Amino acid sequence: MVARTEHAVVIAGGGPTGLMLAGELSLAGVDVAIVERRASQDLVGSRAGGLHARTIEILDQRGIADRFLSQGQVHPVVHFHVPLDISDVPSRHNYVLGLWQNHIERILAGWVDELSVPIHRGREVTGFAQDDTGVDVELSDGTSLRGKYLVGCDGGRSLIRKAAGITFPGWDPTTSWLIAEVEVSEEPAWGFRHDALGTHGLGKLEDGRRMRAVLTEAQVGPASEPTLRDVREALIAVYGTDYGIHSPTWISRFTDMTRQAATYRDKRVLLAGDAAHVHPPVGGQGLNIGVQDAVNLGWKLAQVVKRTSPESLLDTYHAERHPVAARALRATMAQVALRRTDDRTKALGDYVSTLLSMAEPRRRLAAEMSGLDVHYDLGEGHPLLGRRMPDLDLITADGPRRVFTLLHDARPVLLNLGEPGGFELPPWAERVQVFDAQYAGTWELPAIGAVPAPTSVLVRPDGYVAWVGDRTQVGLADALTTWFGPPPAG
């Protein structure tokens, strides 16, 4: 009989989503392990590039944003058909951070290592069986793990999703792009080029020796892996030369296939990141949505594992995150459609560009693309309810504090901005931190503008507001029970 290692949660996949989820669970004191098929965190090719404002805010909430900011390049625009200035969006991080995925993963892996999360490298999940108390997870080396829960963060071709029988409806590809990182013998025509096929781009990589090429193909490419010859032929078709490309480090193909899992949960098996949603990379949404999935799921799963919250709390993960990804899928489909080269689409694109040159449409779409306008449906009430808590500069008895610094331990916070000492939270005192503070500035939210200053707010570990109230505390006990479990007996 093969020995079986047990963990509270097993994560399949050690990319950005899996790493972020592991960090969240570890902060909550949950025994979590990652299964990753790569022997090291090294990534072939730079892959995705860019962290949006809300993702940087999330990293700031955990006290690790500076690790990324020190290695990336700040850009004050997001893209939807045209560049959209976001420098006036009310956030400390009103920009996109240019940083390739290989660096993002390396930094996240370093954080996870500090939290002592085990990563079973050089192995992958080959199957699983779940029962009423957990999931038996079979690995490619013949060993097995058991977890109370299994989370598939294993990409668009997710074995976890397929084995769970979760359907993946959506749209088949209509166009494809070659992407390659290669060395060149001749100086290329750097920048973008537009022709009858679409948009193409050639850019110099960090080392100054290699080129990153993204080339629109004449027709949807085959499912097989592309070769250097394919890249040469595509370059010649567009530029009339292949620039003497050689020594490729990464060649791949992506399409505009757009799909989303019908459900993010099947009993004790959950999905996050690309395992739950795939779409073309225009707008740079995929990695960011995956990391935000992880932060929504992490604290909820931790509370269920610890039995402070009922299993039904996990249903809110799908309820909140599925609509966010569905909207991103529509946005990427619209952007691909606007890239078509026929005259009618060009005319439509001109109208869209005109609309987005106006202040209000620009602000709204910039907030959407940056992830700052996410609004979970938590019912009627104050405009803050269900939205991200702004990172205010507070005055406390211990001196100035930022809101995000109160969330570094991934614990919920009740922020009292009225008379000090007005909130006593037994029996939730062990679960929720209470801070008395003062704030004299305006409250401004992306997309919707100024909102009335609240007297008190309950902030979830993911930074979203679960309750807004005053000293009467009407509805507070219900919100605490809903999000952080019923009061303990006795």
Side-chain angles (χ1 to χ4, degrees):
M1 183 175 178
V2 177
R4 187 173 60 187
T5 305
E6 297 199 7
H7 299 281
V9 178
V10 176
I11 297 172
T17 301
L19 290 168
M20 192 74 209
L21 179 59
E24 292 290 291
L25 290 166
S26 182
L27 284 175
V30 170
D31 174 21
V32 56
I34 297 173
V35 178
E36 168 54 45
R37 60 180 176 79
R38 288 173 289 169
S40 73
Q41 202 64 47
D42 294 342
L43 195 63
V44 177
S46 45
R47 304 295 173 100
L51 295 174
H52 281 299
R54 182 55 190 154
T55 306
I56 304 167
E57 285 192 343
I58 283 171
L59 298 170
D60 199 354
Q61 289 172 187
R62 297 301 178 256
I64 58 174
D66 286 347
R67 305 184 187 194
F68 299 85
L69 295 173
S70 66
Q71 299 189 36
Q73 185 174 358
V74 169
H75 303 279
V77 296
V78 294
H79 287 265
F80 184 100
H81 185 57
V82 293
L84 304 175
D85 179 24
I86 59 170
S87 59
D88 59 349
V89 172
S91 167
R92 291 183 197 276
H93 304 291
N94 48 3
Y95 48 79
V96 173
L97 184 69
L99 188 65
W100 293 115
Q101 183 175 335
N102 52 348
H103 298 304
I104 294 169
E105 286 198 18
R106 174 176 49 79
I107 297 168
L108 279 174
W111 176 57
V112 166
D113 184 61
E114 291 168 15
L115 295 170
S116 301
V117 175
I119 302 180
H120 301 281
R121 295 196 179 276
R123 286 172 271 184
E124 54 188 317
V125 175
T126 56
F128 64 84
Q130 59 174 318
D131 54 41
D132 291 341
T133 61
V135 188
D136 291 318
V137 183
E138 302 301 322
L139 305 184
S140 55
D141 64 351
T143 62
S144 65
L145 302 173
R146 182 169 175 84
K148 291 183 174 68
Y149 290 89
L150 170 65
V151 185
C153 301
D154 53 339
R157 298 187 178 98
S158 173
L159 179 142
I160 307 301
R161 184 189 68 240
K162 294 171 183 175
I166 296 173
T167 58
F168 204 40
W171 295 266
D172 290 332
T174 64
T175 190
S176 64
W177 297 264
L178 284 173
I179 185 167
E181 294 180 3
V182 295
E183 293 188 25
V184 293
S185 302
E186 307 166 22
E187 183 78 4
W190 302 117
F192 292 98
R193 177 170 294 193
H194 308 277
D195 62 16
L197 292 179
T199 301
H200 319 275
L202 304 179
K204 189 179 293 187
L205 287 170
E206 297 165 326
D207 58 16
R209 295 183 299 103
R210 290 176 302 138
M211 174 181 77
R212 180 182 174 100
V214 181
L215 306 164
T216 305
E217 296 190 274
Q219 63 243 349
V220 177
S224 58
E225 289 297 317
T227 65
L228 188 62
R229 179 179 177 179
D230 294 325
V231 180
R232 283 197 179 106
E233 291 176 351
L235 280 168
I236 291 169
V238 175
Y239 295 92
T241 175
D242 65 4
Y243 299 110
I245 59 170
H246 61 92
S247 306
T249 51
W250 179 45
I251 300 175
S252 188
R253 173 180 282 117
F254 63 93
T255 75
D256 65 336
M257 181 177 72
T258 305
R259 297 186 180 280
Q260 186 176 23
T263 179
Y264 285 10
R265 178 187 174 209
D266 175 54
K267 299 186 283 294
R268 291 180 174 271
V269 176
L270 300 110
L271 304 175
D274 288 353
H277 40 75
V278 297
H279 50 81
V282 290
Q285 298 293 296
L287 184 154
N288 290 272
I289 296 176
V291 169
Q292 293 170 41
D293 286 346
V295 176
N296 184 284
L297 175 60
W299 63 275
K300 296 174 181 178
L301 186 53
Q303 290 178 185
V304 172
V305 166
K306 291 179 164 184
R307 299 185 178 179
T308 56
S309 290
E311 204 170 284
S312 57
L313 181 63
L314 295 178
D315 294 332
T316 69
Y317 168 60
H318 171 93
E320 292 182 349
R321 294 305 299 171
H322 193 277
V324 172
R327 184 175 65 163
L329 264 60
R330 291 194 298 271
T332 56
M333 290 173 68
Q335 290 177 83
V336 170
L338 286 167
R339 289 187 173 199
R340 291 175 185 153
T341 56
D342 62 277
D343 290 340
R344 289 176 174 81
T345 303
K346 289 179 181 177
L348 174 61
D350 289 343
Y351 271 95
V352 171
S353 298
T354 300
L355 287 171
L356 293 178
S357 69
M358 302 175 186
E360 185 61 19
R362 174 190 62 82
R363 278 197 297 265
R364 286 184 176 269
L365 195 51
E368 176 183 335
M369 296 301 292
S370 59
L372 292 171
D373 75 333
V374 170
H375 182 204
Y376 299 136
D377 184 7
L378 304 189
E380 298 295 322
H382 192 281
L384 271 171
L385 190 63
R387 296 184 185 273
R388 66 183 256 296
M389 177 68 183
D391 186 25
L392 309 177
D393 288 306
L394 305 173
I395 302 299
T396 74
D398 298 322
R401 299 283 299 273
R402 291 195 292 124
V403 167
F404 285 2
T405 65
L406 308 180
L407 295 168
H408 282 184
D409 295 330
R411 293 182 59 207
V413 169
L414 178 62
L415 189 61
N416 173 33
L417 298 164
E419 289 296 320
F423 285 87
E424 296 294 335
L425 290 187
W428 287 280
E430 296 298 315
R431 304 177 193 170
V432 180
Q433 309 169 85
V434 181
F435 290 94
D436 293 329
Q438 294 178 328
Y439 176 69
T442 58
W443 290 70
E444 187 179 3
L445 300 180
I448 66 173
V451 300
T455 304
S456 50
V457 289
L458 178 63
V459 185
R460 307 187 322 189
D462 59 357
Y464 288 85
V465 175
W467 173 82
V468 183
D470 53 32
R471 293 178 67 85
T472 66
Q473 302 184 26
V474 173
L476 178 58
D478 289 341
L480 289 165
T481 299
T482 296
W483 298 111
F484 311 118

